[in-house]
Amino acid sequence: LGTLKTALLSEPFGKEDLPKDLFSRWVSTDDQYRIQIFAREDISKNDKLARFISDVRSVAPDATSGPIFVYEAGNAILDSFKQAFLLAFLFITILLFIILRNPFDPLLVLIPLIVAGVFTGAFTIILGIPFNFANIIALPLLLGLGVDNGIHMVYRMRYINPNNQDFLQSSTARGVFFSAITTILSFGALIFLSHQGTSSLGRLLTLGILSIMVTTLIILPAFYTLLKFRQTEERE
């Protein structure tokens, strides 16, 4: 009732009657007025946000504030992610050639990673886990986490016991399996956090490591067996 009574006592006022801090936010010292534009569409969607900013900049190229900050920050994060992912993949590939000293072994290690990346991307669509600024950093991280398993398996298959085709019964395969399980449980704990960004990071890491484990223990031995079978046929 008190608020209503005060509202009924309102009187006309001019800009000189406004508080100085409020007035300075909307009018500059040289009497230029600030214009604030609101989007008609829901700009939480990237395509609508980009279209809104493009329309605004076509009229006011120097426009700034919240939506533009979000848009440009997102572009900076995406560019940094692309750079980090490409550099990680390049350095890992170079390191594999240095460690394995064979033109084919690095490919044996990289193929499960590439297939696991395809599986992870498919699972994110099926399970409705979109990429965002919080979980996208998991992709370069998965390269570093997953390449170890491939290196161990390739050493086991080609150097330690090349005549044994039952790779899944080896101690290396068991080590890769239990190591992946402990890593999945560690990152899987992030799923239950209240912060949505961190929770999505945990879901993506869990899916990625699970995909890497499956491809390393199934696709890598199968591809190696097929390659060795073809080499045997060529010799015969």
Side-chain angles (χ1 to χ4, degrees), residues 33-51:
Y33 285 75
R34 170 188 172 188
I35 298 177
Q36 187 169 1
I37 303 172
F38 295 90
R40 182 174 57 184
E41 299 178 312
D42 180 13
I43 57 175
S44 62
K45 307 297 183 180
N46 290 334
D47 56 340
K48 295 181 179 179
L49 175 62
R51 184 165 58 249

Side-chain angles (χ1 to χ4, degrees), residues 39 41-58 67-68 70-72 75:
E41 299 178 312
D42 180 13
I43 57 175
S44 62
K45 307 297 183 180
N46 290 334
D47 56 340
K48 295 181 179 179
L49 175 62
R51 184 165 58 249
F52 170 68
I53 292 176
S54 176
D55 292 341
V56 171
R57 283 178 169 173
S58 65
I68 294 180
V70 173
Y71 179 74
E72 295 297 341
N75 289 336

Side-chain angles (χ1 to χ4, degrees), residues 95-156:
L95 187 61
L96 287 175
F97 278 99
I98 295 175
I99 294 175
L100 300 176
R101 300 178 182 180
N102 188 297
F104 300 104
D105 289 349
L107 297 178
L108 289 174
V109 177
L110 291 175
I111 286 176
L113 290 179
I114 297 174
V115 176
V118 175
F119 285 167
T120 303
F123 285 138
T124 58
I125 297 175
I126 295 173
L127 300 177
I129 306 174
F131 290 107
N132 54 51
F133 298 145
N135 65 21
I136 198 172
I137 195 61
L139 298 182
L141 182 60
L142 287 173
L143 286 178
L145 292 172
V147 72
D148 297 346
N149 298 336
I151 293 175
H152 295 318
M153 289 297 291
V154 168
Y155 263 109
R156 179 72 178 191

Side-chain angles (χ1 to χ4, degrees), residues 10 20 36 42 45 50 69 86 100 105 123 131 140-142 146 167 175 193-194 196 198 201 203-204 218 222:
S10 60
K20 291 184 178 180
Q36 187 169 1
D42 180 13
K45 307 297 183 180
F69 294 158
L86 291 176
L100 300 176
D105 289 349
F123 285 138
F131 290 107
L141 182 60
L142 287 173
F167 304 113
L193 297 181
S194 58
Q196 294 299 316
T198 308
L201 175 63
R203 289 194 292 269
L204 186 59
I218 297 178

